[in-house]
Each structure stands twice: as structure tokens, then as C-alpha cells.
Amino acid sequence: IWQRLQNESVLRLSWFGDDAAARPALVRAMQRADTATLLAEAEPVLQRLRKDFGISHWYFIGTDRRILLRVHEPSKSGDVVQRKTLLDAVATGKPATGIELGSTATYTLRHVIPWRVDGRLIGYIELGQEVEWFASQIKHLTHLETITAVTKRFTNEENFLFGKKALGFSGNWQDHHGFAILSQTLPELPEHLITTWENTSADQQSGVFEARSQDVRWSGIFIPLPDYEQRP
């Protein structure tokens, strides 16, 4: 189910990215580095994309790999993107797609498009969907409860706190030793779940285990979601 959702999402991200690159108002604003116009044009579109398709991230990136505008977080800009999806798009001149951590500790399916006008590169468009959207869709389709988390060694507390403020992560950085929870469909986690999780290697799928929550007995499994660089 995860793989099917991801494949369908890649098609959507590609379609909406190509559509954005063809919009004259966005082209003119990008050529002028006019962030106010980019935001005014893109923000209402992103609101609909988020509601209807779970697309939560939209970046306008300069040819120097600096963020001109995060439509989803316009207060943060000017940083240089080091993610491999963008680096591959720069190196090949072709779109690149993959799941990667962002600077706000979000685990996101990203699609990066080299943006050319009349054969000249004017920048890059990046669209993305957070792992939380996939988790919510899996619950909708299967009625299974889901929890998503990020392994701490691949991010840091500052990034996580920024993401929690901007995107509403359900966990706190200090709650657990090896990971930080991004989202959960259960209001409270079952007993023994955390202990089992801490003892499970981040890069290996676990066997089925049991956990209790008051009078309810749960069966669970941990599934690693390797990123674009095959990190767990």
C-alpha cells in the first residue's frame, strides 16, 4: 500500500510541478526574484493541493541552490539546499524524486524540477508530501493505527522544534532516546511499544510483537522507510 501511494504521489507531484513551471505569472516573478508575487500566486494553490492531495511543501529555488521562497514556510529562506534530490537534478538537468529529511526534520517525498524558460535555467521547483499524509491514508484504507518517527541521528533538536512549531509534530524531542515521533493516529501509545521500538534496529523490519493499552492488546510491526540515500 505504501509503495502504491508513493507511485501515485510521484505522478501528482510531477504533474503539478510541470503545471507551475508553465504559469506565466510564476515565470515572470521567478525571473525578477519577486518573492511577494510568488507567494501571492502560489499560496492559494498550495492550500488546495494540501487539502485535496496532501501536497504540503512547495519551494522556489535559485540556480545557486539557495531557497528563494518556501511557500509553506515563507519566513525561512536564503539557505543553500544540500539534499541529494536537488543535487541530482542540478547534475543531470532532469527531474529527481526521492524521500528525504528536510531542515525542519520533516520526512518528505520530494520532486525537484529544473525550471527552464526558452532553454535557459531560471531555477528549480520542488514539491513534496510529508510521511504523515501516507500514514493517514494507510489508516483510511486499512483501519490500522499508524505512528511515524524520525531517527535522531539524522536530524537535531533545533530542526525538530522548528518542524513541531510549523507543522505540528505530535511528539517532543526529549520523549525518547533514539527517535522522535512525527505523527500518530492513536491518542496514547500502547504500553511496552516504546521499549520495543528502542530495542529494534532502525534499518530492519521487526517481527510482529504485542503491546497493551489498558484492556486492549495490540499487534504491531516496525517498518523502516529508507530515504533517497538508503539511510534508515
Side-chain angles (χ1 to χ4, degrees):
I1 293 173
W2 169 274
Q3 191 60 55
R4 176 66 179 269
L5 288 170
Q6 181 174 324
N7 292 344
E8 291 177 350
S9 293
V10 169
L11 294 175
R12 292 193 188 98
L13 294 172
S14 177
W15 192 94
F16 287 118
D18 291 344
D19 179 71
R23 295 191 178 206
L26 293 179
V27 170
R28 290 192 296 269
M30 187 68 181
Q31 289 172 327
R32 299 193 305 267
D34 181 353
T35 57
T37 299
L38 286 173
L39 184 61
E41 292 285 335
E43 190 173 36
V45 179
L46 181 60
Q47 290 178 4
R48 287 198 60 189
L49 294 180
R50 187 192 305 269
K51 178 182 176 182
D52 295 340
F53 302 102
I55 296 174
S56 52
H57 291 57
W58 190 348
Y59 305 77
F60 292 99
I61 304 171
T63 55
D64 58 357
R65 294 192 286 114
R66 289 190 181 275
I67 296 287
L68 182 63
L69 174 68
R70 287 177 170 88
V71 182
H72 55 286
E73 190 59 39
S75 65
K76 188 174 183 180
S77 62
D79 49 311
V80 177
V81 179
Q82 303 290 352
R83 291 188 297 271
K84 195 172 187 303
T85 46
L86 179 61
L87 295 176
D88 283 357
V90 170
T92 66
K94 298 178 181 179
T97 306
I99 303 177
E100 289 182 296
L101 276 175
S103 60
T104 56
T106 52
Y107 199 44
T108 306
L109 175 64
R110 303 176 184 278
H111 183 71
V112 184
I113 302 169
W115 194 359
R116 293 184 181 85
V117 176
D118 297 328
R120 185 175 69 87
L121 183 71
I122 65 170
Y124 300 87
I125 292 175
E126 179 179 321
L127 293 167
Q129 284 180 300
E130 297 170 44
V131 68
E132 292 87 337
W133 182 84
F134 294 98
S136 68
Q137 292 299 300
I138 287 172
K139 178 174 182 180
H140 175 72
L141 292 169
T142 66
H143 304 291
L144 296 172
E145 305 292 349
T146 58
I147 305 159
T148 62
V150 59
T151 305
K152 281 187 176 180
R153 70 178 183 270
F154 296 124
T155 185
N156 58 52
E157 184 174 9
E158 180 182 3
N159 289 349
F160 183 85
L161 291 176
F162 192 91
K164 183 176 176 65
K165 178 181 177 182
L167 300 162
F169 298 155
S170 66
N172 299 298
W173 181 261
Q174 301 296 343
D175 286 348
H176 314 297
H177 173 70
F179 58 86
I181 292 178
L182 301 174
S183 71
Q184 59 197 71
T185 58
L186 284 167
E188 295 183 8
L189 302 185
E191 297 175 19
H192 310 304
L193 172 68
I194 299 304
T195 302
T196 306
W197 205 336
E198 292 282 15
N199 293 332
T200 299
S201 174
D203 59 354
Q204 293 181 349
Q205 181 168 308
S206 76
V208 176
F209 63 90
E210 288 191 353
R212 293 185 177 273
S213 178
Q214 298 179 350
D215 297 329
V216 179
R217 185 175 67 184
W218 298 90
S219 292
I221 192 169
F222 297 114
I223 302 175
L225 303 174
D227 72 356
Y228 192 59
E229 300 178 69
Q230 293 305 301
R231 301 181 303 173

